[in-house]
Amino acid sequence: MRIDSFLKKSNKQIQLGKAKLADYQLNAALRHGADPTKIEKIRQELPLTLAKVLIQSGKFEEAGEMLLEFELEGKYSKELPELYTALRNEQVQSKWNGIMDLIKQKQLSKAEKEIEGWTENAPSNLPKLKEYLQQEKTEFTQKKRRERVRSLIDNNKFSDAKRELDRWD
């Protein structure tokens, strides 16, 4: 039972991206009689798991550096393409989500700059995001115009309200 506890703690440390603490728990499991073959297998997979954790937690630069290290050392060549794809996909999704948040917060010009500046790893459906932004800009502008006309009417400035309405298509 004690061995399982160390292995669970090790797995938790791995999921938190803490390799040294995970290794410490694995050593403790070994000292308490864990199967050395099982521990060695976990240790061999530890760097891959850490890379996945870094990718999933949005630590893209660290993950990229780790993958490059693997590549330069000639390690995990079989797993690298999948990890690079996961890294790219997570980066794209993170950027997409950030732009969507800007749109929801009505920071439309910032969102537009982000979209226009997105050249590296841009997704094929980026035009759909541009289209969505344009719809939001149109709705936002129309809402502001309606509020302005409503305010002019409420303040008995009917001729100004009519002029404003005449400017609309």
Side-chain angles (χ1 to χ4, degrees):
M1 177 92 159
R2 186 104 168 119
I3 295 169
D4 287 340
S5 172
F6 288 116
L7 293 176
K8 284 181 184 176
K9 287 179 183 177
S10 173
N11 189 43
K12 182 173 181 162
Q13 297 303 327
I14 292 168
Q15 294 307 313
L16 294 172
K18 298 179 179 179
K20 288 183 181 181
L21 290 174
D23 195 49
Y24 174 80
Q25 294 297 330
L26 292 174
N27 286 334
L30 275 174
R31 284 193 305 274
H32 286 86
D35 178 5
T37 309
K38 184 176 181 180
I39 299 300
E40 186 55 35
K41 186 173 191 270
I42 293 170
R43 279 202 170 111
Q44 287 175 351
E45 293 175 1
L46 179 66
L48 291 174
T49 305
L50 285 172
K52 290 174 188 174
V53 167
L54 290 172
I55 292 168
Q56 291 166 351
S57 63
K59 296 178 181 174
F60 304 130
E61 191 172 324
E62 290 175 58
E65 288 172 6
M66 185 177 255
L67 297 182
L68 183 58
E69 247 179 69
F70 293 162
E71 196 173 344
L72 293 173
E73 293 172 358
K75 294 180 178 177
Y76 308 109
S77 57
K78 192 170 153 183
E79 294 87 349
L80 274 174
E82 181 183 327
L83 289 170
Y84 273 119
T85 299
L87 175 61
R88 184 182 49 78
N89 290 345
E90 285 295 322
Q91 287 172 317
V92 167
Q93 190 61 55
S94 177
K95 186 159 182 139
W96 185 283
N97 292 346
I99 292 170
M100 289 298 290
D101 287 343
L102 289 172
I103 293 171
K104 287 176 187 168
Q105 296 166 12
K106 300 301 181 202
Q107 295 182 26
L108 304 177
S109 59
K110 281 185 182 179
E112 189 168 37
K113 286 178 186 176
E114 286 292 319
I115 291 172
E116 295 304 322
W118 196 350
T119 55
E120 189 175 325
N121 292 328
S124 60
N125 60 348
L126 189 60
K128 289 189 184 294
L129 186 59
K130 282 183 184 180
E131 187 178 305
Y132 176 69
L133 172 62
Q134 290 307 317
Q135 289 172 350
E136 289 295 311
K137 282 173 71 174
T138 300
E139 287 177 25
F140 184 73
T141 302
Q142 288 173 348
K143 182 179 177 190
K144 287 292 182 191
R145 283 179 149 183
R146 281 193 296 273
E147 288 171 0
R148 175 158 168 65
V149 170
R150 179 81 251 162
S151 174
L152 290 169
I153 291 170
D154 290 346
N155 291 312
N156 295 325
K157 296 182 178 179
F158 302 112
S159 60
D160 290 341
K162 183 173 180 347
R163 260 195 308 277
E164 188 70 29
L165 287 170
D166 288 342
R167 289 183 20 208
W168 294 6
D169 289 335

